[in-house]
Amino acid sequence: MALSSVAFPPLQLQFPSQRSSKPSSNRIIVRPITASISEKSSVPPLRPATVAPTEPTKLPVRKIPGNYGLPFIGPIKDRHDYFYNQGRDEYFKSRIQKYQSTVFRANMPPGPFISPNPNVVVLLDGKSFPVLFDVTKVEKKDLFTGTYMPSTEFTGGYRVLSYLDPSEPSHGKLKRLMFFLLQSRRDSVIPEFHGSFTELFKKLESEIASNGKASFSEANEQAAFNFLARSLYGTNPAETKLGLDGPKLIGKWVLFQLGPLLSLGLPKLAEELLIHTFPLPPFLIKKDYQRLYDFFYDSSTSVLDEAEKMGILRDEACHNLLFATCFNSFGGMKLLFPNMIKWIGRAGVKLHTQLAQEIRSTVRSNGGKVTMAAMEQMPLMKSVVYESLRIEPPVSLQYGKAKRDLVIESHDAAFEVKEGEMLFGYQPFATKDPKIFDRAEEFVADRFVGEEGEKLLRHVLWSNGPETDGPTIGNKQCAGKNFVVLVSRLLVVDLFLQYDSFDVVVGLLELEFAEIPFGN
């Protein structure tokens, strides 16, 4: 439940030792497991946001380098560099080198004619980036997708939770509703995940038996949507009018909202005319969205009843549930899970063996059950999940508008920002800051193991806040932060309960997102 520029390549998986008739010497046999949760809910208490007092800077104050160019022409030039001439990462790297600073001025897409003001102050290091989470310093109103906001016709005419600032009365009510949903369905998460992803692994095995390989990404989409519907709403989509169409409908709906931020791999002129110059009209997907809305309205009666008690209209609540589930949660799983599989697969057999041994021995010592308490006893598995979130966060882009004149510090200098200026941060640079992380560009599986490793968690920022903080009604951290960590752990656990090792082949990018999934 948060947001960003990410890409989801099709992953071709091969499981060389999967379900072999003769177990390998390093394989631990575990009896079929049952899933249960007896622990207390992971939903955090609803405490107000707190902010540490600011101290006078001891760094030299420097004028923010860079400029926005000529009106209209500058934003168009930067958009072409971002999408076509340089690509996103090089767009930022080249400017760091040019200005010798991780803080500078630039334009962010989409620019003319969609965004009225594309001018931003760019923050690209782990020290300056966190100011974007401090709602006493920055406003988050209508900034979920950055310098422009899609039409509310995509969300039933409502500004949904992701676009609300904590200062707005509706923000607290709607975020409480998300906490209620997660807490009320907590006992269903582990068993429904196991059921949905067991189906996924069976499908992959069938494809591997026939073709020698299987695409994880496509199967993951259906499994993720089935899991969310079953665990959060107690409904199997296949048994409703929606059938198996959920992922396809969501993909089209998200595309229409994020078109101005996407690169589809089309010829430059075609992309400019089709998605980067004018927004896609909502009426083209109205019927598709109605099918999703009807499914959620029929499946969420008890949650909608609770919404009415909170003073939220049933219609508004349903549109918010749909957005949080489909855009935030499903979108996040669609991006995060293939990336996790990619990084773990590339790490090789040694790590796979260590994970399999840790996971299987811990499950066995906990009575053959996968529980949250059991997973807390798997330090390597937990570290692998955090490292996946660090090295390729599912939320790449963050925005905030300065509420007052500010002084923002990088590692090397301090910069004065005026009230009303838009701040922008590209998270993959902040979470791979070499001044914070050793071997920052490498996937280090045990990076967060032990006391010193756990101290680094405050620099893992995927959820619109530090990993060491929690979501509250007073901040914009993802309401489902703990939910996302839980299901990510479950994926790794289920994978290594079934397989000793696996190989991955990362294919060409199917679609590149330039923004979004988690963040409330």
Side-chain angles (χ1 to χ4, degrees):
M1 295 175 165
L3 182 65
S4 126
S5 168
V6 279
F8 39 98
L11 297 184
Q12 305 297 331
L13 272 66
Q14 297 175 317
F15 299 93
S17 61
Q18 48 104 13
R19 300 189 186 282
S20 57
S21 57
K22 184 176 180 181
S24 58
S25 60
N26 63 358
R27 181 168 183 170
I28 300 173
I29 304 300
V30 180
R31 63 192 174 108
I33 64 173
T34 58
S36 65
I37 303 179
S38 58
E39 296 80 1
K40 297 195 313 187
S41 167
S42 61
V43 176
L46 305 181
R47 61 186 186 277
T50 58
V51 180
T54 58
E55 296 181 0
T57 181
K58 297 180 182 179
L59 293 169
V61 177
R62 180 183 175 190
K63 180 182 176 181
I64 301 175
N67 61 76
Y68 304 121
L70 294 173
F72 190 82
I73 296 175
I76 292 291
K77 180 183 182 301
D78 282 357
R79 183 169 78 198
H80 284 211
D81 284 346
Y82 184 91
F83 284 122
Y84 317 114
N85 301 334
Q86 294 178 302
R88 186 180 55 215
D89 282 18
E90 186 57 33
Y91 177 83
F92 296 123
K93 287 180 182 177
S94 65
R95 284 156 178 78
I96 291 175
Q97 294 170 355
K98 178 179 179 180
Y99 302 125
Q100 291 298 296
S101 174
T102 53
V103 177
F104 54 84
R105 297 186 183 278
N107 296 292
M108 279 298 292
F113 294 91
I114 297 173
S115 171
N117 184 4
N119 304 160
V120 300
V121 175
V122 181
L123 312 176
L124 295 180
D125 61 82
K127 187 174 181 181
S128 64
F129 190 93
V131 73
L132 294 162
F133 309 140
D134 189 341
V135 295
T136 70
K137 295 180 179 178
V138 298
E139 181 185 73
K140 292 285 193 172
K141 183 177 181 180
D142 297 339
L143 301 183
F144 183 60
T145 45
T147 59
Y148 92 109
M149 177 181 173
S151 170
T152 56
E153 291 184 43
F154 288 112
T155 51
Y158 296 99
R159 291 172 58 239
V160 293
L161 177 58
S162 291
Y163 291 97
L164 299 178
D165 186 78
S167 64
E168 300 180 75
S170 294
H171 180 274
K173 290 181 181 180
L174 290 168
K175 200 159 187 181
R176 285 182 188 273
L177 182 65
M178 299 307 157
F179 289 149
F180 170 82
L181 170 66
L182 293 167
Q183 186 171 13
S184 64
R185 297 294 301 176
R186 64 187 184 276
D187 292 338
S188 301
V189 173
I190 292 181
E192 292 296 353
F193 187 94
H194 181 66
S196 297
F197 279 80
T198 294
E199 293 173 13
L200 176 147
F201 290 132
K202 288 180 178 178
K203 180 178 180 180
L204 294 180
E205 287 183 11
S206 177
E207 292 182 18
I208 290 170
S210 301
N211 307 319
K213 62 183 180 180
S215 173
F216 177 84
S217 296
E218 182 178 345
N220 174 62
E221 290 185 26
Q222 192 65 58
F225 185 74
N226 290 345
F227 158 68
L228 290 168
R230 293 170 183 172
S231 63
L232 298 180
Y233 303 99
T235 302
N236 183 359
E239 297 173 356
T240 70
K241 294 180 181 179
L242 187 63
L244 301 178
D245 294 339
K248 177 181 66 177
L249 299 178
I250 296 169
K252 189 187 299 185
W253 173 63
V254 171
L255 170 63
F256 270 62
Q257 295 175 76
L258 299 184
L261 302 176
L262 305 181
S263 177
L264 303 180
L266 301 174
K268 179 177 176 180
L269 181 60
E271 280 204 351
E272 280 293 285
L273 293 175
L274 290 175
I275 61 175
H276 292 159
T277 305
F278 303 101
L280 295 170
F283 75 86
L284 292 178
I285 58 163
K286 186 174 181 180
K287 290 184 179 179
D288 291 336
Y289 183 74
Q290 188 64 44
R291 288 186 65 194
L292 288 170
Y293 178 88
D294 291 342
F295 171 78
F296 280 92
Y297 195 90
D298 293 341
S299 303
S300 57
T301 300
S302 61
V303 187
L304 297 180
D305 289 343
E306 182 65 22
E308 284 193 313
K309 295 176 184 177
M310 294 180 178
I312 306 170
L313 295 174
R314 295 180 78 88
D315 184 51
E316 181 179 9
C318 188
H319 287 292
N320 273 274
L321 292 171
L322 190 162
F323 193 93
T325 305
C326 297
F327 200 121
N328 298 143
S329 299
F330 173 79
M333 293 173 71
K334 177 175 180 172
L335 302 169
L336 174 60
F337 281 12
N339 287 337
M340 287 181 56
I341 294 291
K342 175 185 69 178
W343 288 107
I344 296 171
R346 286 175 170 176
V349 174
K350 181 179 179 180
L351 173 63
H352 300 172
T353 301
Q354 292 171 335
L355 284 169
Q357 290 174 344
E358 177 184 82
I359 290 166
R360 295 171 187 179
S361 62
T362 303
V363 169
R364 183 176 57 196
S365 65
N366 280 268
K369 295 182 179 181
V370 175
T371 65
M372 288 192 288
M375 287 188 288
E376 286 297 328
Q377 302 167 30
M378 305 175 187
L380 180 59
M381 180 277 294
K382 292 192 298 178
S383 179
V384 162
V385 169
Y386 290 135
E387 180 69 345
S388 299
L389 289 164
R390 179 199 72 87
I391 198 167
E392 196 165 4
V395 182
S396 296
L397 315 185
Q398 290 287 352
Y399 290 85
K401 185 176 292 185
K403 287 184 173 181
R404 61 179 187 271
D405 291 354
L406 301 173
V407 174
I408 296 175
E409 294 184 354
S410 69
H411 294 293
D412 306 313
F415 302 89
E416 294 178 346
V417 172
K418 298 298 183 183
E419 178 182 352
E421 288 197 273
M422 182 78 82
L423 307 177
F424 159 77
Y426 183 50
Q427 186 174 154
F429 280 31
T431 55
K432 288 185 284 189
D433 186 334
K435 294 188 177 181
I436 294 176
F437 294 103
D438 292 331
R439 298 157 61 195
E441 297 288 338
E442 298 179 34
F443 182 85
V444 180
D446 61 352
R447 186 184 298 277
F448 299 102
V449 172
E451 184 177 350
E452 291 303 311
E454 290 179 359
K455 290 179 181 178
L456 290 172
L457 288 175
R458 69 182 185 274
H459 301 294
V460 178
L461 311 171
W462 68 271
S463 63
N464 208 354
E467 189 60 34
T468 48
D469 286 357
T472 74
I473 60 172
N475 66 22
K476 288 298 291 179
Q477 193 160 20
C478 173
K481 167 182 173 282
N482 296 330
F483 176 82
V484 172
V485 172
L486 172 60
V487 297
S488 299
R489 292 176 177 181
L490 287 171
L491 176 66
V492 179
V493 168
D494 271 16
L495 184 64
F496 285 101
L497 282 175
Q498 300 197 53
Y499 304 103
D500 297 332
S501 185
F502 62 92
D503 297 322
V504 298
V505 177
V506 181
L508 295 175
L509 301 184
E510 293 175 330
L511 177 65
E512 183 177 346
F513 267 58
E515 246 292 67
I516 311 20
F518 312 98
N520 303 121

